[in-house]
Amino acid sequence: MRFSGLRVLKEGLSGNKGWQAHWRDAQPKRAYDMIIIGGGGHGLATAYYLARNHGITNIAVLEKGYLGGGNVGRNTTIVRANYFLPGNSEFYSHSLKLWEGLEEDLNYNVMHSQRGLINLFHSDGQRDAFARRGNAMVNQGDDAILLDREGVRRHLPYLDFEQTRFPIYGGLYHPRGGTARHDAVAWGYARGASERGVDLIQNCEVTGIDIDGGVVKGVRTTKGPIKAGKVGIVVAGRSGQVAAMAGRSLPVESHILQAFVTEGLKPVIDHVVSFGMGHFYISQSDKGGLVFGGDLDFYASYASRGNLPMVEHVMEAGMTLMPMIGKAKILRSWGGIMDMTPDGSPIIDKMDGIEGLYIDCGWNYGGFKAVPASGWCMAHLMATNTPHEVAEKFRLDRFRTGIGIMDEEGTGSQHNLH
Ligand SMILES: Cc1cc2nc3c(=O)[nH]c(=O)nc-3n(C[C@H](O)[C@H](O)[C@H](O)COP(=O)(O)OP(=O)(O)OC[C@H]3O[C@@H](n4cnc5c(N)ncnc54)[C@H](O)[C@@H]3O)c2cc1C
């Protein structure tokens, strides 16, 4: 089934009876060439690119809940390529280019909106750091414009420019940054993978990984054992638990990150705005809700909900930056489980010492924007057994050797500081 304007018109005039399910609800076969554990954004994108780029279609994606029920459907949808360090910089640049062609590629409206992202700065030191970041972005071939205070005011006149605690000195403007509809990204990749023959199996929890003589043989699941030549662990906040099934411990801690949405309002915020000093960021969804969040809850947990102290902190930060949002009513808040690495950068690698086992994790609180490139690079790794050139620095052993640590924020090697 192809989507097009003509199709929408035709269906609209004929009672919308011709739409089909977006993917097959498959049941597991006894064996596959490859298994992807985790039906989030990264797992689905990996399966899609394995089929699309490498012609490997005898694949199952095993999801313990429903497709898109994890962080891919819980994030605040920001898509950007404004990283500083080599390794991250080329990877996220590649990802943004994939985003820019994603709707045509998937024939699916993921509502990618390049409305521009502005990171505010509040001191001379921060201005220097953002100037360096902007230069790194431009050198990578991406876009960045350093705005002074009046430049920020032209874009974001509703901010409180009079506050003295964190006066607004300026901002780093990334015009190609923006948002995308998170569920649609999961659904679009699911549909594309299923169309190419991938089995998407929901309510199928992986409970064990079978390894014989250092070689992966398959997995055990709540729907029975399934054999496979290669297995990819792509489970975000559950990475530590699933890696433990293979007898491995990962340099990952799972932390809670919360998000909030208000009632629908008329268009007021037409960018993504990030207020680093207050730990607050915000955008407005296409339905009109203000979507915002802040920092981690600062304790390790597998619960998909957060605590009130962080709720209060985020509200205070929002009110400091733009007091007018105090009038909006909060509709919902929720939490997601973040796979935090010590340097805040991800891992896409083979699992040490186990042939046929691969790991894609450590997305911290920024893995939504990474979905296309992560899927692309994980598929490349699983298909060819060699890392893709834009992900070759995402090595697992950097945490053992200390070589190649990518501490983007310069905050040190502590999970909850990233
Ligand atoms: C509140 C919040 C805001 C965020 N904001 C942004 C943002 O603005 N921009 C951005 O880039 N990133 C953001 N992120 C981060 C981003 O959402 C994640 O990094 C990313 O979605 C993680 O990858 P995923 O989509 O594959 O994860 P998930 O969707 O969580 O997928 C993992 C899947 O694995 C499944 N699974 C786990 N264990 C098993 C098992 N044993 N067997 C089978 N299946 C299993 C889970 O059920 C889950 O569906 C945010 C996250 C949160 C929570």
Side-chain angles (χ1 to χ4, degrees), residues 220-265:
R220 271 161 283 145
T221 79
T222 47
K223 296 196 177 196
I226 310 175
K227 290 190 171 52
K230 292 184 176 181
V231 173
I233 302 175
V234 196
V235 293
R238 301 276 173 176
S239 299
Q241 286 182 334
V242 177
M245 296 176 194
R248 291 290 183 273
S249 85
L250 290 175
V252 169
E253 273 184 14
S254 292
H255 284 258
I256 304 301
L257 181 67
Q258 299 193 59
F260 309 86
V261 66
T262 69
E263 60 190 331
L265 304 173

Side-chain angles (χ1 to χ4, degrees), residues 158-211:
Y158 48 81
L159 298 187
D160 182 0
F161 285 85
E162 308 311 320
Q163 58 136 322
T164 49
R165 179 73 180 88
F166 298 119
I168 296 166
Y169 277 42
L172 185 63
Y173 180 34
H174 174 35
R176 282 166 65 228
T179 59
R181 170 75 196 274
H182 47 12
D183 310 295
V185 173
W187 300 334
Y189 274 116
R191 174 174 174 266
S194 178
E195 243 171 26
R196 286 168 173 77
V198 174
D199 280 357
L200 307 175
I201 303 166
Q202 306 185 73
N203 298 312
C204 182
E205 180 170 359
V206 171
T207 53
I209 299 178
D210 290 326
I211 297 159

Side-chain angles (χ1 to χ4, degrees), residues 17-33:
K17 297 206 174 74
W19 301 116
Q20 295 158 12
H22 286 201
W23 58 82
R24 288 175 296 113
D25 198 13
Q27 289 307 310
K29 296 190 290 193
R30 288 186 59 238
Y32 291 91
D33 293 339

Side-chain angles (χ1 to χ4, degrees), residues 37-43 62-66 68-79 204-207 234-238 242 245 257-259 281 334-339 363-371:
I37 310 175
H42 293 249
L62 308 182
E63 166 54 47
K64 74 172 181 169
Y66 61 94
N71 290 329
V72 71
R74 290 171 176 268
N75 62 72
T76 42
T77 77
I78 299 169
V79 171
C204 182
E205 180 170 359
V206 171
T207 53
V234 196
V235 293
R238 301 276 173 176
V242 177
M245 296 176 194
L257 181 67
Q258 299 193 59
Y281 63 94
W334 62 91
I337 312 167
M338 308 288 79
D339 37 333
W363 295 102
N364 297 271
Y365 32 61
F368 177 62
K369 70 180 97 62
V371 162

Side-chain angles (χ1 to χ4, degrees), residues 80-112:
R80 57 187 165 90
N82 60 351
Y83 282 70
F84 176 59
L85 293 177
N88 284 329
S89 185
E90 58 267 34
F91 175 83
Y92 287 102
S93 183
H94 180 58
S95 206
L96 187 53
K97 289 188 194 99
L98 291 175
W99 276 107
E100 287 168 338
L102 195 60
E103 292 176 343
E104 288 76 12
D105 186 22
L106 296 177
N107 177 234
Y108 210 90
N109 183 8
V110 301
M111 298 167 73
H112 183 213

Side-chain angles (χ1 to χ4, degrees), residues 295-357:
D295 220 327
L296 297 172
D297 269 36
F298 295 117
Y299 59 93
S301 170
Y302 287 115
S304 301
R305 59 179 184 275
N307 274 340
L308 285 172
M310 188 51 70
V311 176
E312 187 180 14
H313 176 90
V314 171
M315 301 303 154
E316 275 177 8
M319 291 286 290
T320 306
L321 186 67
M322 43 179 85
M324 52 79 163
I325 72 165
K327 291 194 175 166
K329 293 189 180 65
I330 303 291
L331 271 193
R332 291 188 302 280
S333 71
W334 62 91
I337 312 167
M338 308 288 79
D339 37 333
M340 305 300 295
T341 53
D343 66 356
S345 294
I347 299 164
I348 302 180
D349 206 348
K350 299 176 201 168
M351 194 68 110
D352 279 350
I354 304 176
E355 200 184 314
L357 189 61

